[in-house]
Amino acid sequence: MNSYFSLRDYIFVALMASVMVIVGYLTVPLVIHIPIPGIRSLVSAPFMAVFFALALARVEKVGTATLIAVLMAIVYSMISIILAAMIVIGGVAADMVIGVVFRSYRTAASRVVAGAIYFGGHVFIGILLGTLFIGGDYARTLIRPWPIAGMTLVVVALAVLGVWAGNRLVVELRRAGKFPQLK
Amino acid sequence: MLRVDNISYEYSGTGSKVLDQANLELKQGEIVLLSGPTGSGKSTMALLAAGILQRHGQGLCHGSITLGGRDVTSIIPRDLARELGILFQNVDLQLFHDRVTEDIAFGPENLGFSPESVSICLERELSRFDLCSYRDREISTLSGGYRQRVAMAGMIAMGQGYLILDEPLAFLDRSAGQSLVNLLGQIKQRIGVLLIEHRTDLVKAVADRVLHLSNGEVLPGSPPASANNFFCYGPGGPEVMRAQEASYRFPKYEVSVLKGCTLTLRQGISHVLLGDNGCGKTTLLKVLAGLINPLMGSVELVASKSKGKGPFQGVGLVLQNPDHQLFMPTVAEEVQTFARQKSLAGQLLEELHLDPFAARHPQSLSRGQKRRLALAAILAQRPRVLLLDEPTVGQDPESLKLMLIALHRFVSEGGCLLSATHDYHAGRALGQVVWHMGDGRILEQGGSELVKRYFSEF
Amino acid sequence: MWVREVHPLVKILAAALLTAVGVLLRRPGSLAILVIIVLFLGWQGGLRPSRRMGVGIVIMLLSFGLVNMAFGTQPMDILRNLLRLAVLFLTGPVFTLTVSPRKLVQSLRRSPLPDGLNIALLVIWRFIPVLLREARQIQEAARLRGLRLVPGQLRLAFRSVVMPLCFQSVSFADHITVALEVRGFSLQHSPSIMPGPGIRWEDILFMILTVFLPLAVLVGERILCFG
């Protein structure tokens, strides 16, 4: 039975996921003690999004975001199951939207939308986590539309910036002959 | 038999053939040495023989390659892996497990060997490659030579009849290289080995046949010897840099990499640092560049304006892997961005024959071109001291000649050069003042006679 | 250090369950029992945090405690929140640090996960250290060119790290794909797997401590609440 993803696809996604894990490893410890919901996504999203975009651009198939998410979730399950669940939800949501609207990740626009959904989705869980650990007025303040929307918008903007940089990188990779040309 | 019939190959977008009607035969039980300068098509031949370029490449291929009478392109990769193996230069990208036994067993497991057969293959190869005492070791703790053994054992454990080795000596020093050559002599009884190597002095003795690539064709014998580059240097000027009893140990390691190194670099002199892999050459260069601070002793750049920690201003270091240093979108920008003068940037591009590629992406260049580009980018900054880490690895003779001319001019104009190398030709060409380094220490100092003596021991 | 011998998949499932129970528990006393279980298992697994790590954990807990106070949370609620934080953020690392990636990957290969996913995970575990090393060498190269993360150099500094890292990882991906094919790996044919160990006493003891005991605590708490 032929696999939906080729070996090349799996390995490319694995390498990009590895770099994303390294980015998280280097950036998140700087802010992990700061009790602002979504702060971890804030610092890691713009850099992770670059390699997220590269993986989508190379594989192009719907399902790639979920594959990235599942791989990272298995790695992050060793830190926090909730974090792992958050990542998978983001990946599945991105694939569902792209599958319906764009049908593949060939275009730069599809990758931008996917990045916005994937990283933006993390903020919700981040806020929920925050309210689990900090109650009182903090929780009452946060579980409202504006704080959630505000933080989500900021993370989405940073992620979009990262995907945009990733899309520029794809052009350079094609110029250097390291990425297949668009047919 | 592995048979290459009239193979021609042209990489996409280059307009010229790397291989042109090349022919080759390999039988089981023999070692065939295929040599030739870098860029002559040796690796291309290896990748074609293993069917890799035909599957993954985008170039134009004519001719045929057969294994046991069957075209390699008609055999699915998994079945081809049962008969033919290939070991690339960078062995680390071919090792997939942490432990020696698990990695050796990986291939047989993928081929569906039964657990009992896997165990038998494993024990056989551990014994053959003298790895029994390393069976439970983590591969990351092994030296380069032993990691290569593990990779070879992992190939042969799959029961292959043919093995292609692509420049296995590239990252090995003399003793590890000799060890590998001895091993080849032992395994060749039932395996055909195509050994692709340009450092032929070590491997000729074990080869049954010697071939070389010239203008895309396979010809018998060794390639013609390339002309040695000899330069004359001046008497030199005042001291530029001093290291006094510099010692360094990496965090979490007990053993020091540098153990009290003392040396002096002078203006207008070309210095060479000789030594085997792991003796501390690269670490010493990084200490001299100011990238890492010695734990004991000192390093001083005379009349330096550098303050605080961090690399010394006025010292340039060209690293072993130029891919780490190239990041601009075009070749021209790579040199111009940090150049002291734009005219100097243009001059260097011309001198190093990089001007035809000025608008190209640096990552689209060949290995030799990238190394020249990395050198040009550093020279454009007009450093007082230039440090080179293994400048000749992967260099074709033409590329090497261009680099040596540029370096000679740098030294003649008052620059101070220090090259760390285990290449004889570079040592002879650049060795005005020579240090022999071993086990983290400077063992002796000399001139070109030290270079001859160091390499004549092997 | 019997905890290290526990099956990695048992640990992952136990971590998931402990996390879920930690979210559901409401009483500080119940959460404290969970924290003690996790710390005990870490101790049994040979984990001894460094001073730096200990200081880091204390700072994190203090930060959350102070924020709670600033937002007017009641003392018992503060305690409950901090204990819940401890459960959720200690469970994963404690269980992770007592299992080797190698054993984890071996266990996953024996699971019903697709071969492609298994090989991708193997590649991740194997090549994260390689990529980290590359990233460090790339950072060194950037420092040698005099690039810093300061205003005026941000774009170049970012480029000097991201570009080479990107090209190296793309190049590695191609090489690794070919290397896997050369080692006979194929998505169409499952590899033979060496037989693994069965259920052992370490697994049973671990499950008692991490599954049955926390569930008993949860049930007990609910009974006390409703009783």
Side-chain angles (χ1 to χ4, degrees):
Chain A
M1 190 181 75
N2 280 331
S3 173
Y4 178 68
F5 292 110
S6 67
L7 178 63
R8 185 174 220 114
D9 295 338
Y10 276 113
I11 300 308
F12 194 87
V13 168
L15 266 288
M16 293 303 117
S18 302
V19 179
M20 288 166 75
V21 168
I22 288 171
V23 165
Y25 168 75
L26 292 174
T27 55
V28 170
L30 301 171
V31 297
I32 197 167
H33 60 285
I34 300 175
I36 298 173
I39 189 131
R40 292 162 199 85
S41 295
L42 206 75
V43 292
S44 60
F47 302 102
M48 284 192 180
V50 173
F51 298 94
F52 181 75
L54 288 186
L56 297 180
R58 180 65 180 259
V59 179
E60 292 185 358
K61 296 169 188 162
V62 173
T64 306
T66 304
L67 179 59
I68 296 169
V70 166
L71 289 174
M72 292 193 68
I74 293 176
V75 173
Y76 280 122
S77 65
M78 314 197 101
I79 298 169
S80 163
I81 297 291
I82 294 176
L83 193 58
M86 161 178 113
I87 290 169
V88 171
I89 290 168
V92 170
D95 270 327
M96 281 172 60
V97 170
I98 300 308
V100 167
V101 177
F102 293 95
R103 306 297 177 110
S104 81
Y105 290 104
R106 272 172 70 86
T107 60
S110 62
R111 299 192 283 270
V112 167
V113 172
I117 296 169
Y118 181 80
F119 291 100
H122 296 170
V123 177
F124 286 105
I125 307 284
I127 287 178
L128 279 175
L129 266 181
T131 56
L132 266 179
F133 307 137
I134 304 168
D137 286 338
Y138 182 90
R140 281 189 282 277
T141 309
L142 278 182
I143 306 293
R144 280 185 197 174
W146 288 116
I148 294 176
M151 187 48 104
T152 305
L153 274 171
V154 171
V155 171
V156 163
L158 289 169
V160 163
L161 199 66
V163 172
W164 174 81
N167 285 337
R168 293 273 301 254
L169 261 171
V170 169
V171 171
E172 282 207 42
L173 282 161
R174 288 201 175 111
R175 260 189 66 223
K178 304 296 180 190
F179 244 48
Q181 298 293 335
L182 280 173
K183 287 168 195 157
Chain B
M1 185 193 289
L2 174 69
R3 206 185 150 99
V4 177
D5 278 319
N6 294 318
I7 270 288
S8 298
Y9 193 81
E10 180 183 322
Y11 283 97
S12 165
T14 56
S16 64
K17 291 180 186 174
V18 175
L19 294 175
D20 195 356
Q21 308 274 318
N23 293 279
L24 188 143
E25 280 177 9
L26 177 69
K27 297 188 201 87
Q28 282 181 299
E30 68 171 348
I31 295 177
V32 172
L33 170 62
L34 180 65
S35 65
T38 305
S40 58
K42 301 190 300 295
S43 292
T44 305
M45 176 65 88
L47 294 172
L48 284 168
I52 292 167
L53 269 182
Q54 295 92 318
R55 277 199 309 277
H56 295 286
Q58 291 167 330
L60 288 166
C61 183
H62 299 284
S64 76
I65 297 180
T66 55
L67 183 64
R70 290 178 304 158
D71 192 323
V72 294
T73 55
S74 68
I75 309 173
I76 65 168
R78 189 173 184 254
D79 290 341
L80 189 59
R82 287 178 194 275
E83 299 182 61
L84 186 148
I86 175 167
L87 208 63
F88 302 110
Q89 264 190 48
N90 190 348
V91 154
D92 286 330
L93 296 182
Q94 289 188 264
L95 298 167
F96 292 96
H97 284 271
D98 294 340
R99 301 277 163 103
V100 170
T101 47
E102 284 162 11
D103 200 84
I104 295 174
F106 184 58
E109 284 174 354
N110 289 333
L111 294 180
F113 287 20
S114 66
E116 296 76 28
S117 301
V118 171
S119 294
I120 292 169
C121 292
L122 181 58
E123 294 306 320
R124 186 185 65 215
E125 302 313 327
L126 281 171
S127 172
R128 195 206 306 261
F129 285 86
D130 195 26
L131 290 167
C132 292
S133 51
Y134 296 93
R135 60 170 59 233
D136 289 321
R137 277 275 289 268
E138 292 212 7
I139 292 175
S140 59
T141 63
L142 299 177
S143 65
Y146 272 88
R147 287 204 300 275
Q148 199 155 52
R149 282 181 186 240
V150 172
M152 274 178 65
M155 284 289 163
I156 293 175
M158 294 159 73
Q160 294 151 343
Y162 301 90
L163 190 60
I164 302 171
L165 303 178
D166 188 3
E167 302 211 32
L169 304 180
F171 296 109
L172 299 184
D173 55 35
R174 295 162 304 159
S175 53
Q178 187 63 57
S179 192
L180 176 70
V181 168
N182 295 340
L183 199 59
L184 286 176
Q186 289 168 26
I187 67 168
K188 81 169 194 182
Q189 276 131 32
R190 60 169 191 85
I191 295 171
V193 178
L194 177 61
L195 179 57
I196 292 174
E197 187 54 67
H198 72 272
R199 288 170 62 186
T200 56
D201 40 330
L202 265 180
V203 297
K204 258 189 192 165
V206 78
D208 296 297
R209 277 189 292 138
V210 178
L211 304 169
H212 74 278
L213 274 163
S214 177
N215 296 321
E217 275 187 87
V218 177
L219 300 171
S222 301
S226 49
N228 283 323
N229 298 290
F230 291 109
F231 296 97
C232 292
Y233 295 100
E239 287 181 3
V240 171
M241 186 173 251
R242 282 186 285 270
Q244 194 69 32
E245 291 291 320
S247 299
Y248 187 76
R249 177 171 52 83
F250 286 103
K252 297 181 190 173
Y253 283 87
E254 286 177 11
V255 179
S256 291
V257 176
L258 294 181
K259 300 169 186 169
C261 292
T262 297
L263 49 83
T264 305
L265 302 179
R266 285 174 40 216
Q267 197 177 359
I269 298 276
S270 176
H271 311 78
V272 160
L273 194 56
L274 298 172
D276 288 342
N277 283 353
C279 73
K281 300 194 300 293
T282 300
T283 308
L284 179 57
L285 289 181
K286 287 182 181 177
V287 165
L288 291 173
L291 201 54
I292 47 181
N293 294 318
L295 290 176
M296 286 187 350
S298 65
V299 172
E300 184 197 345
L301 179 65
V302 174
S304 165
K305 291 176 190 165
S306 297
K307 287 177 186 171
K309 292 182 179 176
F312 290 121
Q313 283 180 30
V315 177
L317 170 57
V318 181
L319 299 166
Q320 252 191 68
N321 187 348
D323 286 327
H324 293 161
Q325 289 182 275
L326 304 175
F327 62 90
M328 295 303 286
T330 64
V331 165
E333 281 176 83
E334 196 71 61
V335 182
Q336 283 164 1
T337 303
F338 295 94
R340 283 276 184 98
Q341 298 150 342
K342 266 221 163 100
S343 56
L344 176 61
Q347 188 188 331
L348 282 164
L349 283 173
E350 221 178 289
E351 197 178 325
L352 289 164
H353 288 205
L354 292 169
D355 42 331
F357 313 113
R360 281 215 357 214
H361 197 287
Q363 292 291 343
S364 67
L365 304 181
S366 70
R367 256 185 310 181
Q369 289 163 347
K370 279 185 201 173
R371 194 170 281 277
R372 294 202 313 266
L373 178 57
L375 176 65
I378 299 293
L379 282 174
Q381 294 180 263
R382 280 204 165 275
R384 291 169 63 197
V385 179
L386 178 61
L387 309 171
L388 301 178
D389 194 358
E390 299 291 353
T392 61
V393 169
Q395 291 297 310
D396 55 82
E398 178 62 26
S399 191
L400 182 61
K401 188 176 168 186
L402 291 169
M403 280 180 67
L404 291 174
I405 291 171
L407 291 172
H408 179 250
R409 189 169 67 75
F410 169 76
V411 173
S412 304
E413 289 173 357
C416 171
L417 174 65
L418 172 60
S419 313
T421 183
H422 59 247
D423 180 84
Y424 173 70
H425 298 290
R428 284 299 309 276
L430 298 170
Q432 190 179 0
V433 171
V434 180
W435 290 291
H436 174 201
M437 196 169 172
D439 190 32
R441 293 186 175 88
I442 303 289
L443 299 176
E444 56 182 319
Q445 178 175 333
S448 56
E449 81 291 342
L450 176 53
V451 175
K452 281 189 209 168
R453 190 158 30 92
Y454 175 80
F455 286 100
S456 68
E457 284 166 15
F458 288 83
Chain C
M1 291 196 275
W2 64 273
V3 169
R4 290 184 179 266
E5 302 306 316
V6 174
H7 198 288
L9 292 182
V10 168
K11 278 187 183 162
I12 289 181
L13 289 170
L17 201 92
L18 259 178
T19 304
V21 171
V23 171
L24 293 169
L25 287 173
R26 288 182 209 139
R27 289 176 181 238
S30 316
L31 285 161
I33 294 173
L34 254 59
V35 172
I36 290 168
I37 291 172
V38 170
L39 291 176
F40 170 71
L41 290 171
W43 194 260
Q44 289 289 297
L47 294 182
R48 306 288 184 266
S50 64
R51 184 183 287 189
R52 201 171 165 185
M53 195 184 291
V55 167
I57 291 169
V58 166
I59 288 175
M60 190 168 96
L61 291 172
L62 273 175
S63 304
F64 276 86
L66 286 169
V67 171
N68 265 290
M69 279 172 61
F71 279 96
T73 311
Q74 298 299 311
M76 283 307 277
D77 290 336
I78 294 175
L79 184 61
R80 179 196 63 210
N81 293 341
L82 289 180
L83 286 168
R84 186 175 283 145
L85 177 68
V87 169
L88 265 58
F89 277 92
L90 282 178
T91 306
V94 162
F95 288 10
T96 307
L97 292 169
T98 53
V99 69
S100 71
R102 177 177 64 86
K103 278 193 175 153
L104 174 64
V105 171
Q106 278 178 345
S107 310
L108 287 171
R109 288 179 85 192
R110 294 188 197 103
S111 71
L113 281 181
D115 288 333
L117 214 54
N118 276 326
I119 200 69
L121 284 167
L122 184 71
V123 164
I124 287 175
W125 286 124
R126 168 72 182 90
F127 289 99
I128 277 180
V130 174
L131 286 169
L132 250 179
R133 208 166 45 234
E134 288 289 305
R136 287 198 180 111
Q137 287 171 346
I138 289 166
Q139 277 180 317
E140 278 182 353
R143 280 180 66 205
L144 284 166
R145 298 284 281 272
L147 286 164
R148 302 271 182 281
L149 277 172
V150 295
Q153 279 192 349
L154 277 176
R155 189 183 145 263
L156 276 178
F158 181 77
R159 233 195 121 83
S160 70
V161 173
V162 171
M163 289 298 293
L165 186 60
C166 160
F167 275 93
Q168 285 295 90
S169 46
V170 168
S171 169
F172 280 8
D174 290 338
H175 279 97
I176 291 165
T177 304
V178 168
L180 279 168
E181 284 182 353
V182 162
R183 294 292 287 274
F185 184 84
S186 163
L187 289 177
Q188 278 74 44
H189 301 91
S190 288
S192 59
I193 307 290
M194 305 295 267
I199 298 290
R200 294 177 296 190
W201 69 265
E202 292 97 343
D203 299 318
I204 296 169
L205 179 59
F206 192 85
M207 283 172 70
I208 289 169
L209 284 171
T210 58
V211 175
F212 299 118
L213 200 51
L215 281 175
V217 169
L218 180 64
V219 168
E221 191 188 79
R222 291 292 184 266
I223 291 170
L224 278 173
C225 282
F226 295 117

